[in-house]
Amino acid sequence: MVKRKPKSKRPQPQHKKQKKSQHDKRKRLQCKNPSRKKTTRAKVPLTGAIHKAVSALEAVMDCRIAFRLAIVIAGMFLADGRRTASAWFVAAGVQDDWDRFYDCLISVGQTSGKLATAVLGLLVQKFAPGLGGRIVLVMDDSPTQRYGRHVEGAGVHHNPTPGPADGEWLYGHNWVALAWLARHPLWGVIALPLRSMLYVREVDVPKLAEKHDWEFRTKHQLGVELLTWFMQSIRALGLEVKVWLVVDGAYAARPFLLPVLEMGLVVVSRLRRDAHLNDLPPEGSHGNRIYGHNRISLAKRAGHPQGWETITYHCRGAEVTRQYKTFLATSRLISGQIRVVIVRFEDGGWAPYFCTDTEAQVRDILEAAAARWAIEEQFHDVKEVWGAGQQQVRNVQSNIGCWNLNQWLYTLVELCCWDTDKSELIDRQARSWDNPDRRPSHADRRRAISRKMLEEKFLATLPPTPNNRKLQRLFETLLDLAI
């Protein structure tokens, strides 16, 4: 059977005709229920370090609704299956005031900037003493698939990871995310999400602007806005450090790089193989000359057998030894000089990278470029472990709140388990086929916190008598089966 040639045009969303929702909030509020049960605490509350971290987030919210945040997060830890917002509420034990918890998600989306600043404050408290004068950030965008014409802000976007049954396009939301890259002494580089912003295509903005005061912004403009927020926040926290930003080739564009360089950031990114580069202007030329006379071909430089040097650097959890070439060039991306590094891999392939700091060391550039992959692992974990994008909410602010909550919980779990011994996070004695030296996954860390929550809730009620030891062992066995 002949394969059909894929269309180059972006498809349009197709939805069946749907009736209006039968759950009208205005009608429900008109009929007050005097016997309505209110939820004041979670069925299984948070405990330990995660409780303290969430309290820091509650402090920046409205006190009338802030207490619901801890209840929602407790449900996020214990929810199973398809992690919709209603599954969170069921796991948390939310009662008749469930509509107030949907309002809480909307409030989280509206105050995402303040909550992200609180998360950033926790990271600064943890890593500020050992920063070494440099913070490394990473930025990328990731889509979440949705369905339904009533989902606000949804549109047709490129699918970056299509599977065997997926297409080139998907319908849903697209998020521009900013994360902090931190190197764990045992587990390698981990991307800790800080804040995400929703990208809405220009064609989808008019119907969203009818209800919300929404303006169209490109991904580059959203990225600049995220970095502006970050720089203002760390200055408010009194932190004076050098900030590096690692991005992929999609953000190596002049509209993004020029505003970022004005903030004082150093950018490391992949460079196109056919990038327009020139050599340095000749000495003694006029001061207003930026570019040299000669064009530089990256393919010719990579194909020349001479000039290669050897370097050993840290790449995705291992020390690798590769060949490289480095030189200074002038680029129209920033209207100035950049340092270019060409790396040759074991299979003979090569890849060019650039750094806007011409004095940067080659090892730092290559390690920063290799660490960018941590945000891809983070996107995978936040969707598979926390179920980001499955919440089935329609309001645009509620969608922003749900996505950011999943991102922040990833950060808080990694932060709370940062100094925890490996043996406390997971016990592989019952899995003889598994590698006992394998590092704990993010799911293992989330499961360890959930287990402590359940133990604090149920085992604390048992008095330490010999008659209750069997009950305690039985409950621990049930925990192993359930979590």
Side-chain angles (χ1 to χ4, degrees):
M1 185 175 179
V2 180
K3 286 188 177 181
R4 183 178 297 176
K5 186 177 180 180
K7 297 180 180 179
S8 60
K9 294 183 178 179
R10 185 191 301 263
Q12 298 301 317
Q14 301 291 334
H15 303 298
K16 296 179 181 179
K17 292 184 178 180
Q18 298 178 357
K19 297 180 180 179
K20 291 186 178 180
S21 175
Q22 59 181 341
H23 304 289
D24 193 342
K25 184 176 180 180
R26 290 173 295 182
K27 293 181 180 179
R28 188 174 68 251
L29 293 178
Q30 290 174 359
C31 303
K32 295 185 178 181
N33 182 8
S35 59
R36 186 182 192 187
K37 296 180 181 178
K38 295 184 179 180
T39 309
T40 57
R41 59 175 302 173
K43 187 191 303 182
V44 181
L46 300 173
T47 182
I50 193 69
H51 174 68
K52 295 180 181 178
V54 173
S55 299
L57 272 64
E58 291 178 333
V60 301
M61 295 183 67
D62 191 323
C63 60
R64 295 171 295 180
I65 202 171
F67 73 95
R68 294 190 177 95
L69 181 63
I71 300 176
V72 172
I73 291 178
M76 294 173 69
F77 272 100
L78 301 177
D80 198 6
R82 186 164 178 82
R83 292 180 175 86
T84 60
S86 58
W88 293 351
F89 303 158
V90 170
V94 174
Q95 302 186 47
D96 296 338
D97 57 344
W98 50 267
D99 53 336
R100 299 300 184 191
F101 286 85
Y102 280 107
D103 294 338
C104 179
L105 296 179
I106 294 175
S107 179
V108 170
Q110 293 172 342
T111 59
S112 60
K114 295 180 180 179
L115 291 167
T117 304
V119 174
L120 177 59
L122 295 175
L123 292 179
V124 169
Q125 291 178 11
K126 178 66 178 178
F127 300 116
L131 285 176
R134 180 189 299 171
I135 295 176
V136 183
L137 303 177
V138 60
M139 180 180 292
D140 203 355
D141 54 272
S142 179
T144 54
Q145 193 165 5
R146 295 296 308 275
Y147 178 81
R149 62 193 179 104
H150 295 294
V151 181
E152 296 177 348
V156 178
H157 302 280
H158 278 282
N159 187 359
T161 54
D166 295 329
E168 185 182 357
W169 310 89
L170 60 80
Y171 177 80
H173 293 121
N174 203 347
W175 307 93
V176 180
L178 180 67
W180 177 314
L181 290 180
R183 185 183 297 276
H184 192 277
L186 298 177
W187 304 334
V189 179
I190 300 175
L192 304 175
L194 295 174
R195 187 183 178 187
S196 301
M197 301 189 76
L198 176 63
Y199 166 71
V200 181
R201 294 169 55 217
E202 189 173 9
V203 70
D204 299 321
V205 168
K207 56 183 179 181
L208 188 61
E210 294 177 1
K211 183 177 178 181
H212 305 277
D213 187 16
W214 198 276
E215 297 179 358
F216 171 71
R217 288 165 293 177
T218 64
K219 293 180 182 179
H220 294 160
Q221 291 172 333
L222 292 175
V224 172
E225 188 173 341
L226 284 172
L227 292 171
T228 303
W229 161 82
F230 177 82
M231 297 303 293
Q232 292 175 350
S233 299
I234 62 170
R235 291 193 186 103
L237 294 171
L239 201 61
E240 295 293 337
V241 292
K242 199 168 187 178
V243 181
W244 280 36
L245 174 67
V246 189
V247 292
D248 63 1
Y251 290 87
R254 186 180 176 89
F256 176 76
L257 293 175
L258 291 183
V260 170
L261 294 180
E262 290 180 0
M263 301 180 202
L265 280 80
V266 176
V267 181
V268 177
S269 176
R270 182 95 176 238
L271 193 62
R272 289 174 59 102
R273 293 192 175 193
D274 59 349
H276 187 104
L277 299 176
N278 291 83
D279 59 359
L280 301 184
E283 296 182 3
S285 60
H286 297 289
N288 57 356
R289 186 171 185 84
I290 300 176
Y291 310 105
H293 297 286
N294 302 318
R295 178 82 180 267
I296 296 177
S297 173
L298 291 175
K300 290 182 179 179
R301 295 242 176 165
H304 200 283
Q306 297 179 356
W308 292 99
E309 300 182 53
T310 303
I311 188 173
T312 301
Y313 65 98
H314 192 83
C315 177
R316 299 179 64 179
E319 292 287 331
V320 297
T321 301
R322 289 172 179 159
Q323 292 182 319
Y324 76 95
K325 287 183 180 180
T326 182
F327 55 90
L328 297 180
T330 52
S331 171
R332 287 171 171 79
L333 290 176
I334 66 170
S335 298
Q337 298 183 16
I338 59 174
R339 175 163 292 281
V340 180
V341 180
I342 302 177
V343 182
R344 187 158 66 181
F345 302 107
E346 291 79 3
D347 58 357
W350 59 278
Y353 301 93
F354 77 92
C355 179
T356 57
D357 183 4
T358 57
E359 302 296 329
Q361 299 294 322
V362 174
R363 181 185 179 91
D364 294 338
I365 297 174
L366 294 180
E367 288 186 347
R372 196 204 69 83
W373 188 255
I375 196 172
E376 304 291 351
E377 296 176 342
Q378 178 262 317
F379 284 146
H380 173 271
D381 287 342
V382 82
K383 293 176 182 178
E384 295 295 326
V385 177
W386 294 101
Q390 301 178 9
Q391 280 65 63
Q392 298 299 315
V393 289
R394 295 180 174 181
N395 182 274
V396 64
Q397 295 295 342
S398 185
N399 277 287
I400 294 173
C402 290
W403 172 264
N404 276 292
L405 269 181
N406 285 294
Q407 296 276 308
W408 293 329
L409 272 190
Y410 182 97
T411 299
L412 296 182
V413 167
E414 295 290 343
L415 198 61
C416 293
C417 298
W418 193 267
D419 298 321
T420 305
D421 189 74
K422 178 181 175 181
S423 60
E424 299 181 27
L425 296 178
I426 190 168
D427 184 9
R428 304 190 190 278
Q429 293 181 358
R431 301 172 178 86
S432 57
W433 59 87
D434 202 350
N435 181 11
D437 298 327
R438 181 169 60 87
R439 74 172 191 176
S441 65
H442 182 76
D444 293 332
R445 298 162 206 165
R446 173 186 178 271
R447 194 178 298 114
I449 294 178
S450 303
R451 186 185 183 94
K452 288 181 181 178
M453 291 168 55
L454 292 170
E455 289 178 350
E456 186 81 13
K457 173 69 176 180
F458 296 104
L459 293 183
T461 60
L462 295 176
T465 58
N467 296 331
N468 290 324
R469 291 178 182 174
K470 292 183 178 180
L471 292 176
Q472 184 171 350
R473 289 197 214 100
L474 178 61
F475 180 74
E476 290 175 351
T477 305
L478 291 176
L479 279 181
D480 292 335
L481 295 174
I483 297 180

